[in-house]
């Protein structure tokens, strides 16, 4: 039989991913022991999906600076101790014949907030372990503390931090890195006129608002070298008049391609409160539009739950891979079930030897 598109390999630079079922970055808010250090939870959470047949695993947003964390319990990669702790996770994933990438992130004005598990809401005050958030402009996200606008020199420090984090990622054994430019975090805040009110080189027109994203892409590419693929997650629209648009996302993707980005992970929203038409595959159209308009590989995300649905997205050329989030939490072996439902025999499905006895039989 013809191999389903979902289980074809995908090569990005020197990296060949064994299939196109990928685990989306999902915050775990579980670094309870020491600041930013991944724990056994991260090993089991990410490792279970490698056992479950996912071709590429992405970590949650790993902060490139301490003040870039979304919450005090977030993971980081801003120091060597954190990088060393990630090595245990990358080694395990590799042992399952899967690949793993880290999402490099800075939360900007959405930093220093309570995790969903905490007894609080909104911004964490300094008296409770929080810190002052920074942003392109002193414009608060809904209900959060007003951030401090970054100086030009501090913007340069952010660029350096992304590059340094990318170097640590390679030392920790990550196969690829994703730059988080979505969901209302720092890079997205610079992209959108709704949060970027600057009148210097990092604001104003498209070139100014995209300048930080491009500089970060350059720094990350320089840090990882020519053979390692770099991904970029974008919120393709703010879903709000006067905000970041789908056409700007296409234009940005084309610029990023010229600056060494290999794949755009197309999500939407998160920068301002908006009325979003959520439904099965509601963001796929943006992956398709960016793929066609910018001539760059894309990954689709957002309420992709069914193997046939995912197969159709790939087979019709709307995207090159699919990222699963909530569906993967419900079913860490989603890829194995998908292989069965799409007609792949149990001997050819990505089972680990220890789990072969549990394979679906025809």
């Amino acid at each position: 039989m013809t191999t389903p598109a979902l289980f074809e390999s995908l090569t990005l630079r020197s990296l060949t991913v064994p299939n196109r079922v990928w685990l989306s970055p999902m915050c775990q808010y579980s670094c309870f022991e020491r600041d930013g250090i991944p724990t056994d939870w991260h090993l089991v959470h990410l490792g279970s999906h490698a056992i479950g047949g996912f071709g590429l695993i992405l970590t949650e947003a790993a902060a490139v600076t301490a003040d870039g964390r979304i919450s005090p319990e977030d993971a980081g990669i801003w120091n060597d101790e954190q990088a060393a702790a990630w090595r245990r996770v990358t080694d395990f994933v590799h042992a399952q014949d899967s690949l793993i990438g880290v999402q490099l992130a800075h939360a900007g004005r959405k930093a220093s907030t309570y995790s969903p598990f905490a007894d609080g809401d909104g911004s964490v005050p300094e008296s409770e372990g929080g810190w002052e958030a920074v942003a392109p402009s002193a414009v608060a996200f809904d209900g959060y503390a007003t951030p401090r606008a970054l100086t030009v020199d501090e913007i340069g420090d952010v660029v350096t931090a992304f590059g340094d984090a990318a170097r640590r990622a390679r030392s920790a054994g990550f196969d690829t890195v994703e730059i988080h430019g979505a969901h209302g975090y720092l890079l997205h805040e610079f992209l959108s006129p709704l949060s970027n009110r600057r009148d210097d080189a990092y604001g104003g027109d498209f070139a100014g608002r995209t300048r930080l994203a491009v500089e970060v892409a350059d720094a990350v590419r320089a840090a990882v070298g020519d053979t390692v693929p770099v991904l970029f997650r974008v919120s393709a629209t703010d879903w709000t008049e006067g905000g970041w648009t789908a056409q700007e996302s296409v234009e940005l993707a084309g610029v990023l391609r010229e600056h060494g980005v290999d794949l755009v992970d197309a999500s939407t929203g998160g920068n301002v409160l908006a009325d979003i038409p959520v439904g099965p595959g509601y963001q796929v159209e943006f992956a398709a539009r960016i793929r066609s308009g910018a001539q760059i590989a894309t990954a689709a995300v957002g309420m992709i739950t069914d193997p046939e649905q995912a197969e159709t997205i790939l087979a019709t050329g709307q995207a090159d891979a699919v990222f699963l989030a909530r569906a993967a939490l419900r079913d860490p072996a989603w890829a194995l079930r998908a292989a069965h439902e799409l007609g792949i025999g149990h001997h050819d499905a990505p089972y680990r030897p220890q789990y072969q006895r549990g394979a679906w039989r025809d």
Side-chain angles (χ1 to χ4, degrees):
M1 62 168 286
T2 302
T3 301
L6 204 57
F7 289 92
E8 292 178 348
S9 63
L10 178 63
T11 298
L12 300 170
R13 296 195 182 239
S14 67
L15 189 70
T16 298
V17 187
N19 63 52
R20 304 181 188 218
V21 184
W22 297 358
L23 183 71
S24 195
M26 288 177 280
C27 290
Q28 299 295 295
Y29 307 105
S30 295
C31 295
F32 301 118
E33 298 172 10
R34 288 174 292 168
D35 282 354
I37 302 289
T39 67
D40 286 350
W41 178 265
H42 299 86
L43 174 66
V44 174
H45 163 61
L46 299 170
S48 66
H49 291 88
I51 291 172
F54 284 70
L56 177 64
I57 311 290
L58 282 195
T59 73
E60 65 195 83
V64 299
T65 64
D67 68 353
R69 289 170 292 167
I70 302 167
S71 81
E73 293 78 33
D74 276 22
I77 193 163
W78 71 81
N79 64 43
D80 292 342
E81 184 181 12
Q82 293 158 351
W86 280 117
R87 170 61 81 166
R88 182 168 173 242
V89 179
T90 63
D91 283 349
F92 182 84
V93 169
H94 290 149
Q96 315 317 315
D97 293 336
S98 289
L99 301 173
I100 184 167
V102 60
Q103 187 184 63
L104 306 179
H106 191 300
R109 67 178 182 168
K110 295 174 82 172
S112 187
T113 60
Y114 288 100
S115 83
F117 318 142
D119 294 327
D121 190 33
S123 299
V124 180
E126 293 185 33
S127 61
E128 295 182 26
W131 56 90
E132 182 181 43
V134 296
S137 305
V139 179
F141 182 73
D142 184 72
Y144 289 11
T146 300
R148 178 177 60 80
L150 289 162
T151 68
V152 171
D153 286 345
E154 288 172 328
I155 292 172
D157 292 339
V158 168
V159 174
T160 298
F162 270 93
D164 290 344
R167 290 186 189 90
R168 291 189 196 98
R170 291 296 291 147
S171 73
F174 286 105
D175 302 294
T176 184
V177 295
E178 177 173 87
I179 300 166
H180 198 349
H183 300 167
Y185 299 123
L186 187 65
L187 300 190
H188 185 184
E189 292 163 20
F190 271 87
L191 295 176
S192 174
L194 299 176
S195 45
N196 185 344
R197 311 284 176 80
R198 301 178 75 95
D199 58 7
D200 61 10
Y202 290 91
D205 61 9
F206 176 84
R209 287 182 283 111
T210 60
R211 189 179 306 277
L212 177 57
V214 173
E215 290 181 353
V216 166
D218 284 342
V220 169
R221 170 52 65 204
V224 301
D226 293 333
T227 61
V228 175
V230 173
L231 319 182
F232 191 101
R233 172 164 274 194
V234 65
S235 278
T237 176
D238 281 337
W239 297 106
T240 302
E241 185 175 354
W244 181 253
T245 68
Q247 182 55 37
E248 287 178 311
S249 292
V250 173
E251 294 172 17
L252 174 62
V255 173
L256 292 174
R257 186 194 67 232
E258 297 300 318
H259 286 262
V261 169
D262 302 291
L263 179 143
V264 171
D265 171 9
S267 188
T268 65
N271 193 41
V272 293
L273 298 184
D275 185 14
I276 301 175
V278 176
Y282 71 104
Q283 297 176 135
V284 173
E285 65 176 286
F286 299 100
R289 183 169 174 178
I290 291 169
R291 187 177 190 264
S292 174
Q295 295 297 294
I296 191 170
T298 63
V301 63
M303 293 192 73
I304 299 169
T305 60
D306 179 75
E308 287 287 353
Q309 175 197 19
E311 176 67 11
T312 298
I313 291 167
L314 302 184
T316 56
Q318 297 178 82
D320 298 275
V322 294
F323 273 117
L324 301 185
R326 290 172 175 83
L329 296 181
R330 292 189 292 270
D331 184 1
W334 189 97
L336 300 177
R337 178 168 63 83
H340 171 70
E341 292 185 11
L342 295 175
I344 295 178
H346 66 276
H347 288 299
D348 296 317
Y351 281 94
R352 303 311 301 152
Q354 299 93 326
Y355 278 27
Q356 182 64 237
R357 76 187 76 174
W360 277 281
R361 267 30 180 204
D362 297 332

